[in-house]
């Protein structure tokens, strides 16, 4: 797993490449066509700005909650708190004061729960970031994606890589270094867990937001 460089909680800014596309067909129907874009128009840049601001707020809140949970006792006691923590899901009311945020998701190439499984468009963004890191480059600070679906409005997604901090390692680090009680609890809660074996500053995954009322192209 490649290390990810941070300015604060999130990854260092990097250049985006335009025109990276993904399109598949399922059961004879045309599937969504996802393209990673380099925002150039004012409307596209507005989507990026709103998405980044929303993700920053979510990331800081999540880090603070994990830190608070771990500060109150043993890591195995914090699992219950972190396990119950869910990202908001009500469109238009997900983040206070940010009505254009229509959806939020955490996803990764190494998931812990099935709800975080990447869809094909997510996978395109994850592979794009993974390729940058495996090529020896810094992770892009943000990835903006346009998704075109037949007979539907254009969907705009903003992804931001997040990395492993020292607090994350309690539950996402080397299983051999976890207490038997913690390991047993993690196995019981996440029987298909893939999200272990990380080291500090490794790339963990992305926080993704969908920004509504974006540009048509």
């Amino acid at each position: 797993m490649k290390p990810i460089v941070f300015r604060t909680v999130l990854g260092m800014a990097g250049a985006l490449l335009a025109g990276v596309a993904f399109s598949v067909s399922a059961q004879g129907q045309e599937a969504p066509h996802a393209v990673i874009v380099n925002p150039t128009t004012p409307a596209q840049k507005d989507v990026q700005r709103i998405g980044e601001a929303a993700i920053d707020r979510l990331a800081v809140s999540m880090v603070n909650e994990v830190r608070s949970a771990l500060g109150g006792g043993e890591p195995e006691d914090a699992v219950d708190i972190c396990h119950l923590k869910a990202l908001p899901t009500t469109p238009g009311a997900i983040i206070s004061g940010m009505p254009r945020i229509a959806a939020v998701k955490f996803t990764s190439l190494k998931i812990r729960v099935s709800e975080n499984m990447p869809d094909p468009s997510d996978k395109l963004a994850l592979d794009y970031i993974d390729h940058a890191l495996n090529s020896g480059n810094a992770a892009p600070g943000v990835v903006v994606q346009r998704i075109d679906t037949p007979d539907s409005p254009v969907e705009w997604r903003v992804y931001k890589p997040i990395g492993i901090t020292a607090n994350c390692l309690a539950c996402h680090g080397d299983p051999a270094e976890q207490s038997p009680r913690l390991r047993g609890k993690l196995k019981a809660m996440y029987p298909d867990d893939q999200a272990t074996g990380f080291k500090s500053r490794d790339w963990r995954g992305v926080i993704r937001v969908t920004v509504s009322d974006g540009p048509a192209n």
Side-chain angles (χ1 to χ4, degrees), residues 15-22 33-39 44 120-130 140 142-148 156-157 159:
L16 295 178
L17 297 176
V20 181
F22 178 92
H33 181 81
V35 181
I36 293 173
V37 301
N38 179 18
Q44 291 173 351
S121 299
D122 294 334
K123 186 66 165 50
L124 171 68
L126 291 167
D127 286 344
Y128 174 72
I129 297 166
D130 192 54
V142 64
V143 173
V144 178
Q145 185 182 67
R146 188 187 77 242
I147 302 175
D148 298 291
W156 288 89
R157 294 179 178 181
Y159 300 81

Side-chain angles (χ1 to χ4, degrees), residues 43-85:
Q44 291 173 351
K45 291 178 180 179
D46 197 42
V47 166
Q48 177 175 329
R49 178 188 61 79
I50 292 171
E52 284 193 271
I55 293 171
D56 286 348
R57 284 177 58 179
L58 287 169
V60 170
S61 175
M62 291 169 67
V63 167
N64 287 339
E65 290 187 9
V66 171
R67 183 182 293 118
S68 177
L70 288 170
E74 297 299 320
E76 48 265 39
D77 298 320
V79 171
D80 294 313
I81 298 173
C82 297
H83 176 72
L84 293 174
K85 172 63 182 173

Side-chain angles (χ1 to χ4, degrees), residues 47 50-55 58 86-95 98-107 115 119 122 147 155-160 206-213:
V47 166
I50 292 171
E52 284 193 271
I55 293 171
L58 287 169
L87 291 172
T89 58
T90 305
I94 289 175
I95 302 176
M98 304 190 76
R100 288 182 62 184
I101 301 302
V104 173
K105 181 178 180 180
F106 171 77
T107 189
E115 289 84 355
D119 65 21
D122 294 334
I147 302 175
E155 178 182 354
W156 288 89
R157 294 179 178 181
V158 179
Y159 300 81
K160 214 164 190 182
V206 295
I207 298 178
R208 184 205 88 195
V209 297
T210 298
V211 181
S212 65
D213 302 319

Side-chain angles (χ1 to χ4, degrees), residues 131-152:
H131 177 74
L133 290 169
N134 286 327
S135 298
N137 300 314
V142 64
V143 173
V144 178
Q145 185 182 67
R146 188 187 77 242
I147 302 175
D148 298 291
T149 304
D151 303 319
S152 297

